[in-house]
Amino acid sequence: MFGTYFRVGFYGSKFGDLDEQEFVYKEPSITKLAEISHRLEVRQRVGGAAAGSVYRQRVGEVAGGSVYRQRAYIQITYVEPYFDTYELKDRVTYFDKNYNLRTFLFCTPFTLDGRAHGDLHEQYKRKTFLTTSHAFPYIKTRVNVLHREEVVLIPVEVAIEDMQKKTQELAFATHQDPADAKMLQMVLQGCVGTTVNQGPLEVAQVFLSEIPEDPRLYRLHNKLRLCFRDFTKRCEDALRKNKTLIGADQREYHRELERNYQRLREALAPLTSRKIPQLYTDLLPHTSSRDSLTRTSLRRIEA
């Protein structure tokens, strides 16, 4: 029960010195977004001293025609601790992943026309990294944000990240100790089920059916292709594990999962087996030259 974290931003001149300030709040791990939203609206401490009144009372009622700076807004977003790849090597235990936390992450989906969600080929994602002035756990449950950084992922990068997440979930459910058959089957159903909207097959059909025209997307295209090859291998491992966990009453369900997997694998095969020749063109002159030198050396040896 180490904690749950929320990013809270205050916007509006009526907040005084809190205007445009961002904080990360540490709450009990069972806290929901609606709960902290209600609590901040009803009662809170301001600047470390008891306010004695609610935020709503503090900012007062604002007329409908007032400009933005005269209004008061509180933005609340759920955030998660973020670790670089090299950090995860040292943060192995559950305690390690909940101690000395300074960097947090939240993601915002968007499309170029302003909608939050769209089709796969138009779905972007903004990843916002927040660095706090002090590390959690701290003597205070609210620490101000010292640095903010944003990274925008294009649709194919969003697809890569989603497939990597599915693959990691499969690997975790497969190797969980003790084994959890229900969890494994739930993850498998989400990966190989034919009724899943915007599932793996649709992702592959959208991004891998054609080689991108922009050469800058070649490597991303190839990375997604390799993600799918890893994904299908993890599905196979998960099915093999599930077969050892089920009883006689679930054998037909398991066979249905296997049939769905075979159909998915057959549909993915032509999409994941095609490579982009342009990725290897820069190696051809070097290879040809080396082959020429090899043939010359062989002729000298024969002579």
Side-chain angles (χ1 to χ4, degrees):
M1 305 292 285
F2 283 98
T4 301
Y5 298 91
F6 298 90
R7 166 254 178 192
V8 180
F10 298 89
Y11 303 96
S13 59
K14 287 184 175 293
F15 281 120
D17 56 357
L18 282 179
D19 183 21
E20 297 190 4
Q21 294 276 343
E22 285 184 306
F23 299 86
V24 172
Y25 280 64
K26 178 179 181 292
E27 298 290 328
S29 63
I30 57 175
T31 306
K32 303 299 181 183
L33 182 62
E35 182 180 346
I36 186 174
S37 299
H38 177 71
R39 183 154 49 83
L40 285 177
E41 181 182 4
V42 174
R43 57 185 302 181
Q44 185 55 270
R45 291 178 178 271
V46 180
S53 61
V54 299
Y55 273 139
R56 183 185 297 276
Q57 292 172 346
R58 181 185 182 192
V59 302
E61 295 297 330
V62 182
S66 300
V67 297
Y68 168 77
R69 297 305 306 161
Q70 293 177 318
R71 294 180 181 271
Y73 296 91
I74 301 178
Q75 290 184 351
I76 306 174
T77 311
Y78 170 76
V79 295
E80 294 181 334
Y82 173 78
F83 309 107
D84 288 327
T85 304
Y86 73 90
E87 283 187 281
L88 290 175
K89 296 178 181 179
D90 298 324
R91 294 181 181 266
V92 179
T93 67
Y94 188 68
F95 176 81
D96 293 334
K97 295 177 181 178
N98 287 274
Y99 182 76
N100 194 26
L101 307 178
R102 285 196 63 193
T103 305
F104 299 85
L105 167 69
F106 70 91
C107 300
T108 308
F110 70 97
T111 60
L112 296 182
D113 61 4
R115 292 173 297 148
H117 298 280
D119 295 333
L120 290 172
H121 68 277
E122 56 186 6
Q123 186 65 64
Y124 289 74
K125 181 191 293 186
R126 181 181 295 105
K127 301 177 71 173
T128 304
F129 301 87
L130 305 175
T131 303
T132 56
S133 59
H134 297 87
F136 287 102
Y138 189 57
I139 55 175
K140 295 181 180 180
T141 58
R142 182 180 82 170
V143 178
N144 62 304
V145 173
L146 195 64
H147 178 69
R148 162 192 277 257
E149 181 181 353
E150 293 185 350
V151 176
V152 174
L153 302 185
I154 62 176
V156 65
E157 291 177 311
V158 176
I160 290 171
E161 196 170 78
D162 289 344
M163 291 309 304
Q164 289 175 334
K165 182 178 179 181
K166 288 181 182 293
T167 304
Q168 291 170 358
E169 290 174 351
L170 276 168
F172 177 79
T174 302
H175 300 290
Q176 191 172 2
D177 187 21
D180 188 339
K182 290 185 178 179
M183 173 64 70
L184 180 60
Q185 291 168 9
M186 183 177 69
V187 176
L188 265 172
Q189 181 63 36
C191 291
V192 304
T194 56
T195 60
V196 179
N197 294 326
Q198 293 193 342
L201 180 57
E202 186 179 353
V203 173
Q205 290 172 338
V206 169
F207 294 103
L208 298 181
S209 58
E210 296 180 358
I211 295 177
E213 298 179 359
D214 189 348
R216 292 174 296 180
L217 299 179
Y218 286 167
R219 296 194 179 278
L220 292 175
H221 183 278
N222 190 58
K223 185 175 182 179
L224 181 59
R225 182 181 68 87
L226 296 177
C227 284
F228 269 100
R229 298 186 69 171
D230 189 23
F231 169 76
T232 53
K233 178 62 170 62
R234 292 294 185 181
C235 285
E236 185 177 347
D237 294 341
L239 284 168
R240 190 181 300 112
K241 178 70 173 183
N242 187 62
K243 191 174 183 178
T244 66
L245 301 176
I246 62 172
D249 58 327
Q250 288 190 314
R251 287 176 183 171
E252 181 56 36
Y253 173 69
H254 180 77
R255 282 193 288 267
E256 180 63 22
L257 286 176
E258 288 183 325
R259 287 191 290 267
N260 287 343
Y261 168 69
Q262 289 301 328
R263 285 193 287 265
L264 175 64
R265 185 177 180 179
E266 292 172 1
L268 289 175
L271 300 173
T272 58
S273 60
R274 181 173 54 187
K275 299 180 181 179
I276 302 178
Q278 292 88 332
L279 280 175
Y280 308 97
T281 53
D282 58 337
L283 300 178
L284 291 179
H286 175 72
T287 304
S288 300
S289 176
R290 187 173 64 180
D291 290 345
S292 176
L293 290 173
T294 302
R295 288 193 294 269
T296 302
S297 300
L298 287 174
R299 284 196 296 269
R300 289 177 180 174
I301 292 174
E302 291 172 357

